[in-house]
Amino acid sequence: MTLIQMRTRPASAHRVHSTVADAMDAAVPQVWEDMTAEVALSVMAAARTGHLVVCDEDGLCTGLVTQARLNAVRDSSGYTDRTRLRDIADVIEPFASPLITRAEAERAMRCRRLGALPVVDEHGNAVGVLALSR
């Protein structure tokens, strides 16, 4: 797993620039990659969120799934009620580190055309999601 790397800045710059940890949503539900798309849609509706962090059996972040992606898969001809998140989640590495500046993460997200990006600690555990405001 690769994190977006932090560039070195003078100590005074850290006070001026907020970090990803300051801006992320830490309350986004985490789901297992063997969960079905239907169950994920139910979790998403209950949590009133547009995205879920997808984790493997060890609890490490493997990607993100959005409501738009789940709806598109559910409406496709190949969909079955056994479709698993591991087969449809967007693997969008590198993930963001909570230590980089918000501006750096948002710039990377815009370059990669991402609306949301998982934030992971140094071990690969999801700690939140950074979403671009529209």
Side-chain angles (χ1 to χ4, degrees):
M1 172 169 312
T2 308
L3 295 174
I4 296 174
Q5 298 298 314
M6 184 173 92
R7 289 183 278 173
T8 306
R9 293 187 178 269
S12 61
H14 289 290
R15 289 188 295 262
V16 176
H17 300 287
S18 67
T19 64
V20 168
D22 299 328
M24 71 180 185
D25 179 3
V28 174
Q30 297 179 27
V31 295
W32 305 117
E33 61 187 3
D34 62 348
M35 180 180 284
T36 65
E38 285 298 321
V39 174
L41 279 166
S42 295
V43 169
M44 206 174 276
R48 296 182 181 178
T49 186
H51 44 264
L52 300 170
V53 174
V54 181
C55 299
D56 66 12
E57 62 276 357
D58 296 323
L60 301 178
C61 180
T62 60
L64 187 83
V65 66
T66 64
Q67 186 170 16
R69 175 79 171 133
L70 288 172
N71 288 333
V73 168
R74 186 177 56 181
D75 295 341
S76 71
S77 61
Y79 175 77
T80 71
D81 61 354
R82 291 182 288 192
T83 300
R84 305 284 178 192
L85 293 181
R86 78 171 52 84
D87 301 324
I88 60 172
D90 296 319
V91 179
I92 49 179
E93 290 188 85
F95 302 127
S97 162
L99 303 176
I100 65 171
T101 67
R102 179 179 178 176
E104 289 171 319
E106 288 177 351
R107 190 171 25 259
M109 290 169 66
R110 285 190 178 90
C111 288
R112 296 168 56 203
R113 298 176 188 223
L114 300 172
L117 185 64
V119 180
V120 299
D121 65 16
E122 64 275 6
H123 303 291
N125 298 303
V127 294
V129 171
L130 180 67
L132 290 176
S133 52
R134 299 269 175 200

